[in-house]
C-alpha cells in the first residue's frame, strides 16, 4: 500500500508539471477576459506613485529597426524592452519581421517628466483574428496571453455621410478599401469623384463580410448594392446574375446594365486640367486644337481601359510620349498619352477598368497628366459629350427575378433606416421572401434562407449588421 501510494504521488506530480503552461504564457483567452486583464493591469499601474495614468501608444516598426528598439523609442528602459520582446518571442517569430509592423504599447510616464517610462502592456497582431498581449502584474512580472477572436459571417447595410473621402467614410462603417474601390469603379460612368463628390453627400452599401467579435472586418465578400447621392441626384446599383451568366453584374433601378460602353474618367482621383477644343498651347506658344481631355495626377497613378477592346498601339508616339490606343468596335476607339510606363501590348484584349499603364509626363508635356482621347469613325470627339452606345436591358424572366432581388435589398435598407440606433440586435440573420413576384408585392422578414457567397463550409447562419452613422462605428 505504501509503495502504491508513493507511485501515485509521483505520477500525479509529473502530470501536474506537464500540464502547466510555459513560464509567462497563459492559455488563450476570450476577448472579455483579455480586456478585463488589461484593464486590471492599467488600474494597478495607475496606483503606483510617481506615474501618470497609462496611455495607449501605437508603434510602427521602422526600416532596420528591431522590436526592442521600437519599444525603447517610446521612452522605455532598453533592458525592460528587451525582456518584453524576449517573452514575446516564445510565441512569435521576431526574426523575419518587416518594416511597418504595428504594435500597441500601454505606457505610464513619470509625473515629474524625468526618468524612464514603464511598459505596462504590449499587443501585436499575428493574424486577421489573432493577437498576442503582454501585461504586467502588480509584482512587475509580465504575462503573455494569446487572444484569438471568433469570426462570423454577416450581411451589412452601411449608411453614411461622406466626410473627407468615400474611402475613409466607408471604412468607418466596416468597408474594406477593395470594396470601396469597386463602388468607385461602378460609379465611374456617372460621377467624376474629383469634381462631383462633396463632403455631406450620402452613400449606402450592402455587402457580405467576415467580422471578428470586436467588430473588425477580416474579409469583405460580394457587394450587393451601392448608392450615392450627389450633384442633386441619386444613383442606385443592384447586383444580379442573369440566367446563364457567369459573374455578378450591376443594374440600375430599371434593370439596365450599368456597365456603360466607355468610362467617363479612366483615372481615379484626378482633376481636369484642360478640356477639348481650341486652346493656347503652353509649349508651342500659339492657339492649337486640343483633341482630348487632360487629367492631372501624380506620376505612377494607374490608368484604366475606358472599355472592352483590343490594344492597337502600345508605343512611343512623338509628342504624345508613351501612347496606347484601344479599338472598342469598328466605330469607337480611345487613346491615352504621356504615360510613364505601359502595361499592355499590341493585340492584347482588355476589359473595362483593366490597368493599361501609369500616369507620366513623357513626350511634349509640362507635368504629369493623362491625355485622354475618344475617336468615332477615326475622328476625335469631345469625350464629355460623346453619345456612346447604350447598355443592355434585362427582359422576361431575368427582369422578374431582378425585381424580386431589388425588393429584397430595399427591405434590408428600409429596416436599417428605421432602426433606432442603426443596429439590429439579433443573433439570427435576416432574409426576405416575396410571396407575389409582381412589382407591388410586399416583402416580409423571415429567418435566413440564402447562403452567403463569402461563407465557408461552416453551417452557422449569416448574421445581419444594419449600420448607419447613427449607430456605433
Amino acid at each position: 500500500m505504501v509503495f502504491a501510494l508513493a507511485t501515485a504521488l509521483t505520477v500525479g506530480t509529473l502530470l501536474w508539471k506537464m500540464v502547466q503552461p510555459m513560464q509567462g504564457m497563459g492559455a488563450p483567452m476570450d476577448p472579455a477576459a483579455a480586456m478585463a486583464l488589461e484593464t486590471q493591469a492599467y488600474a494597478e499601474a495607475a496606483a503606483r506613485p510617481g506615474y501618470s495614468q497609462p496611455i495607449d501608444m501605437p508603434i510602427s516598426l521602422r526600416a532596420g529597426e528591431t522590436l526592442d528598439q521600437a519599444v525603447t523609442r517610446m521612452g522605455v528602459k532598453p533592458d525592460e524592452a528587451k525582456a518584453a520582446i524576449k517573452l514575446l518571442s516564445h510565441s512569435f517569430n521576431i526574426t523575419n519581421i518587416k518594416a511597418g509592423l504595428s504594435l500597441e504599447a500601454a505606457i505610464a510616464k513619470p509625473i515629474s517628466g524625468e526618468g524612464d517610462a514603464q511598459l505596462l502592456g504590449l499587443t501585436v497582431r499575428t493574424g486577421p483574428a489573432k493577437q498576442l498581449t503582454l501585461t504586467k502584474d502588480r509584482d512587475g512580472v509580465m504575462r503573455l496571453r494569446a487572444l484569438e477572436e471568433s469570426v462570423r459571417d454577416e450581411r451589412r447595410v452601411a449608411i453614411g455621410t461622406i466626410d473627407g473621402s468615400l474611402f475613409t467614410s466607408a471604412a468607418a462603417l466596416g468597408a474594406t478599401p477593395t470594396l470601396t474601390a469597386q463602388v468607385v469603379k461602378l460609379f465611374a460612368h456617372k460621377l467624376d469623384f474629383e469634381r462631383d463628390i462633396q463632403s455631406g453627400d450620402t452613400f449606402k452599401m450592402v455587402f457580405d463580410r467576415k467580422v471578428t467579435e470586436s467588430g473588425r472586418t477580416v474579409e469583405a465578400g460580394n457587394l450587393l448594392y451601392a448608392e450615392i447621392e450627389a450633384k442633386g441626384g441619386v444613383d442606385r446599383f443592384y447586383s444580379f446574375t442573369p440566367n446563364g451568366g457567369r459573374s455578378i453584374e450591376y443594374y440600375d433601378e430599371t434593370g439596365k446594365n450599368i456597365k456603360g460602353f466607355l468610362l467617363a474618367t479612366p483615372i481615379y482621383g484626378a482633376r481636369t486640367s484642360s478640356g477639348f477644343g481650341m486652346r493656347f498651347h503652353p509649349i508651342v506658344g500659339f492657339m492649337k486644337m486640343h483633341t482630348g481631355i487632360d487629367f492631372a495626377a501624380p506620376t505612377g497613378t494607374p490608368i484604366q481601359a475606358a472599355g472592352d477592346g483590343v490594344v492597337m498601339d502600345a508605343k512611343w508616339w512623338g509628342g504624345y510620349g508613351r501612347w496606347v490606343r484601344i479599338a472598342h468596335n469598328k466605330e469607337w476607339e480611345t487613346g491615352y498619352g504621356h504615360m510613364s510606363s505601359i502595361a499592355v501590348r499590341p493585340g492584347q484584349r482588355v476589359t473595362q477598368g483593366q490597368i493599361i499603364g501609369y500616369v507620366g509626363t513623357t513626350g511634349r508635356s509640362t507635368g504629369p497628366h493623362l491625355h485622354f482621347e475618344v475617336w468615332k469613325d477615326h475622328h476625335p470627339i469631345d469625350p464629355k459629350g460623346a453619345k456612346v452606345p447604350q447598355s443592355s436591358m434585362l427582359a422576361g424572366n431575368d427582369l422578374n427575378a431582378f425585381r424580386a432581388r431589388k425588393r429584397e435589398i430595399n427591405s434590408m435598407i428600409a429596416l436599417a433606416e428605421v432602426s433606432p440606433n442603426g443596429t439590429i440586435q439579433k443573433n439570427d440573420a435576416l432574409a426576405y421572401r416575396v410571396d407575389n413576384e409582381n412589382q407591388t408585392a410586399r416583402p416580409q422578414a423571415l429567418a435566413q434562407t440564402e447562403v452567403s457567397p463569402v461563407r465557408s463550409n461552416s453551417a452557422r447562419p449569416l448574421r445581419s449588421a444594419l449600420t448607419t452613422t447613427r449607430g456605433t462605428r
Side-chain angles (χ1 to χ4, degrees):
M1 292 178 60
V2 171
F3 177 75
L5 178 61
T7 302
L9 289 172
T10 302
V11 172
T13 301
L14 290 174
L15 288 174
W16 181 82
K17 289 184 177 181
M18 289 173 64
V19 300
Q20 293 303 303
M22 68 179 180
Q23 182 177 4
M25 182 65 182
M29 305 181 67
D30 58 42
M35 182 65 71
L37 179 65
E38 293 176 354
T39 301
Q40 178 184 357
Y42 295 166
E44 291 175 353
R48 295 174 183 175
Y51 286 89
S52 62
Q53 290 281 348
I55 57 174
D56 289 331
M57 300 184 67
I59 305 174
S60 181
L61 192 65
R62 296 173 179 173
E65 191 176 44
T66 63
L67 281 178
D68 56 286
Q69 289 172 341
V71 175
T72 302
R73 184 159 40 88
M74 299 294 104
V76 178
K77 288 182 179 179
D79 291 344
E80 187 177 5
K82 288 182 179 179
I85 300 304
K86 183 178 180 180
L87 182 58
L88 189 66
S89 68
H90 291 168
S91 297
F92 180 60
N93 185 355
I94 65 172
T95 58
N96 295 320
I97 55 178
K98 298 180 180 180
L101 176 70
S102 297
L103 302 92
E104 189 81 17
I107 293 175
K109 295 183 177 181
I111 296 177
S112 64
E114 298 180 357
D116 297 311
Q118 286 193 346
L119 179 65
L120 308 176
L122 188 65
T123 299
V124 58
R125 188 165 297 282
T126 59
K130 298 179 181 180
Q131 70 180 43
L132 294 173
T133 298
L134 287 170
T135 52
K136 182 176 290 186
D137 293 341
R138 184 184 293 274
D139 57 4
V141 177
M142 298 203 83
R143 307 291 181 185
L144 179 60
R145 302 292 184 186
L147 169 62
E148 182 172 358
E149 296 181 86
S150 61
V151 177
R152 67 176 186 268
D153 298 294
E154 70 176 22
R155 179 152 295 165
R156 190 170 185 80
V157 177
I159 304 175
T161 301
I162 296 176
D163 182 12
S165 74
L166 178 61
F167 278 90
T168 56
S169 303
L173 298 179
T176 62
T178 301
L179 199 68
T180 307
Q182 187 179 357
V183 174
V184 171
K185 183 178 178 180
L186 291 177
F187 284 85
H189 308 89
K190 295 283 187 178
L191 298 170
D192 184 328
F193 277 79
E194 179 66 25
R195 299 178 300 173
D196 298 337
I197 301 298
Q198 306 292 332
S199 291
D201 291 339
T202 61
F203 67 93
K204 298 176 184 178
M205 298 168 62
V206 181
F207 56 92
D208 294 330
R209 70 169 182 168
K210 289 183 180 294
V211 62
T212 65
E213 290 299 323
S214 61
R216 187 174 51 83
T217 301
V218 174
E219 175 187 335
N222 290 324
L223 175 68
L224 307 179
Y225 173 83
E227 171 186 324
I228 292 181
E229 182 175 0
K231 292 180 62 180
V234 181
D235 292 300
R236 301 179 177 93
F237 298 143
Y238 299 80
S239 68
F240 181 72
T241 303
N243 186 29
R246 296 183 178 180
S247 60
I248 293 176
E249 297 184 13
Y250 294 87
Y251 298 81
D252 66 11
E253 294 179 278
T254 66
K256 180 180 178 181
N257 195 322
I258 71 161
K259 185 179 179 180
F261 184 65
L262 296 177
L263 295 175
T265 308
I267 183 172
Y268 175 73
R271 64 177 178 85
T272 302
S273 57
S274 183
F276 182 90
M278 294 297 296
R279 65 165 186 173
F280 181 82
H281 198 285
I283 295 180
V284 300
F286 54 81
M287 296 297 294
K288 191 176 185 295
M289 182 64 183
H290 189 234
T291 56
I293 292 180
D294 289 345
F295 295 101
T299 297
T301 302
I303 300 169
Q304 305 173 18
D308 299 346
V310 177
V311 177
M312 306 304 291
D313 294 328
K315 62 182 183 181
W316 184 279
W317 193 32
Y320 288 92
R322 292 190 176 90
W323 163 265
V324 169
R325 179 170 62 94
I326 300 174
H328 304 285
N329 59 25
K330 293 181 179 180
E331 291 183 309
W332 294 88
E333 297 174 294
T334 53
Y336 314 77
H338 306 306
M339 293 183 177
S340 60
S341 61
I342 297 173
V344 291
R345 63 185 184 278
Q348 180 179 344
R349 181 167 292 279
V350 294
T351 58
Q352 188 176 76
Q354 180 177 334
I355 296 176
I356 60 172
Y358 302 88
V359 170
T361 184
T362 57
R364 198 158 55 193
S365 169
T366 58
H369 71 283
L370 167 67
H371 175 80
F372 176 58
E373 295 191 359
V374 175
W375 296 346
K376 183 180 181 183
D377 295 326
H378 307 292
H379 296 287
I381 61 174
D382 188 351
K384 291 296 183 182
K387 295 182 179 180
V388 298
Q390 296 297 306
S391 303
S392 60
M393 290 283 298
L394 292 172
N397 292 334
D398 281 339
L399 182 58
N400 290 333
F402 169 75
R403 287 171 175 168
R405 177 71 163 175
K406 173 184 169 183
R407 287 192 295 271
E408 175 190 355
I409 293 174
N410 287 348
S411 296
M412 297 180 196
I413 297 171
L415 186 58
E417 291 177 326
V418 300
S419 175
N421 63 358
T423 303
I424 304 301
Q425 299 295 338
K426 289 184 65 177
N427 291 328
D428 294 331
L430 296 177
Y432 299 86
R433 181 183 69 197
V434 179
D435 293 329
N436 185 351
E437 291 298 325
N438 62 47
Q439 208 166 5
T440 59
R442 186 170 183 174
Q444 299 174 345
L446 300 172
Q448 172 64 30
T449 59
E450 181 181 69
V451 177
S452 167
V454 79
R455 191 182 304 180
S456 62
N457 293 328
S458 170
R460 291 177 298 156
L462 193 70
R463 184 179 300 186
S464 65
L466 310 183
T467 304
T468 73
T469 50
R470 300 186 299 275
T472 301
R473 293 190 176 184

